[in-house]
Amino acid sequence: MGNTIDLGALLTNREYFLDLYVRMAHHSTAIEGNTLSLDETASIILNDFIPRAINDREFYEVRNYKLLLPHFVEKLKNKVAIDNELIKFFHSFIMRDLHEQAGVFKKLDNAIIGAEFDTAKPYLVPTLLKEMCNNLYFRLERASNDSQKLEAIFEAHIAFERIHPFSDGNGRTGRLLIIYSCLENNLVPIVIPKKYKASYIAYLRSGTMDAEMLDFIQDIQAKELLRIRKFT
């Protein structure tokens, strides 16, 4: 089986996608500072139950993944390519009730704490994102193996985070795009665990894709494949 999947078959596996979304929601929001546990995240997404008094923002951050799930699957089924509109669509769900500009590109300059580079100017965002998407698909079409596809996907992720197209929610949106891109290319999806936050951030800050980063990604992918097999 390697690192490839049958997307058509996987899309019929509702249990796996629910599990994937619980873990996506938990780990991606935890990387941004959300303190809800995996069990609490599962309770909100699977059972519509809030297990304790929690911060409104933390609740919305997790709940928004539940709202997005059917649309995420629908886009995959319909083979909708990643472009500026899909990126804004995903962000509009991820940031629902969290930011007044959910689904809208930034209008003011922003910055990444501690970064030595400047993020894109607001007026350049649409053009830079379009170039990023075009380059991603150009490389994916010409990739001769799965490793080259992963390199293309993660170099696009690095570019996305450096563009930083939104006022907030860039990390969560970017990691969602990783998973979408993997799935649309029949690759095992990659959920970056919160325990690897430091390594993940360090790779992003380096701005380059190297053999060490590829090994890091493929190790996560191998663990996810074992997870898929448990549900199939």
Side-chain angles (χ1 to χ4, degrees):
M1 185 175 181
N3 290 327
T4 59
I5 56 169
D6 179 347
L7 177 60
L10 199 64
L11 285 172
T12 66
N13 192 331
R14 177 173 170 76
E15 289 188 353
Y16 170 71
F17 264 92
L18 286 174
D19 175 74
L20 175 66
Y21 249 68
V22 168
R23 290 180 294 112
M24 284 170 58
H26 171 63
H27 291 290
S28 194
T29 58
I31 286 173
E32 304 297 333
N34 191 299
T35 64
L36 297 182
S37 69
L38 181 60
D39 284 342
E40 290 169 338
T41 301
S43 180
I44 292 169
I45 290 180
L46 301 180
N47 307 116
D48 291 317
F49 178 72
I50 303 174
R52 60 178 173 86
I54 61 176
N55 178 279
D56 285 349
R57 181 175 183 84
E58 292 194 325
F59 167 73
Y60 291 137
E61 285 177 348
V62 166
R63 180 216 59 181
N64 287 349
Y65 281 82
K66 178 182 177 68
L67 297 179
L68 177 57
L69 175 57
H71 302 282
F72 185 88
V73 172
E74 179 187 18
K75 298 295 184 184
L76 283 170
K77 287 181 177 178
N78 292 329
K79 299 181 179 180
V80 177
I82 296 173
D83 60 11
N84 288 11
E85 293 308 308
L86 186 65
I87 291 170
K88 289 191 290 185
F89 179 79
F90 284 163
H91 185 265
S92 71
F93 277 88
I94 291 298
M95 297 306 294
R96 182 171 294 188
D97 295 323
L98 293 170
H99 200 286
E100 61 183 9
Q101 293 185 356
V104 179
F105 291 144
K106 65 184 178 184
K107 300 186 185 313
L108 300 173
D109 286 340
N110 57 4
I112 300 172
I113 297 174
E116 296 180 348
F117 59 87
D118 293 328
T119 60
K121 294 292 184 184
Y123 72 91
L124 291 175
V125 165
T127 300
L128 291 176
L129 280 182
K130 183 178 180 180
E131 291 175 354
M132 180 202 79
C133 294
N134 290 342
N135 183 59
L136 170 62
Y137 284 105
F138 178 85
R139 293 184 60 188
L140 286 169
E141 289 173 3
R142 286 156 181 76
S144 59
N145 55 53
D146 291 347
S147 292
Q148 290 182 1
K149 290 180 181 179
L150 284 177
E151 289 174 358
I153 290 168
F154 268 80
E155 287 189 354
H157 180 58
I158 291 170
F160 179 86
E161 297 305 335
R162 287 184 164 235
I163 295 169
H164 234 55
F166 300 104
S167 298
D168 193 13
N170 293 287
R172 279 161 282 169
T173 304
R175 289 186 290 276
L176 188 72
L177 291 171
I178 290 174
I179 293 174
Y180 188 90
S181 192
C182 284
L183 289 170
E184 74 168 343
N185 287 281
N186 294 298
L187 296 174
V188 173
I190 297 161
V191 179
I192 300 169
K194 63 180 181 181
K195 66 180 180 180
Y196 295 151
K197 175 181 177 178
S199 298
Y200 163 66
I201 297 299
Y203 287 128
L204 286 184
R205 288 185 182 280
S206 73
T208 57
M209 180 78 182
D210 57 19
E212 184 179 355
M213 185 176 182
L214 182 60
D215 287 343
F216 169 76
I217 295 164
Q218 290 177 326
D219 180 63
I220 294 173
Q221 195 178 42
K223 292 181 174 65
E224 186 67 23
L225 180 57
L226 295 176
R227 189 79 178 178
I228 291 174
R229 287 173 174 167
K230 290 180 180 179
F231 284 93
T232 56

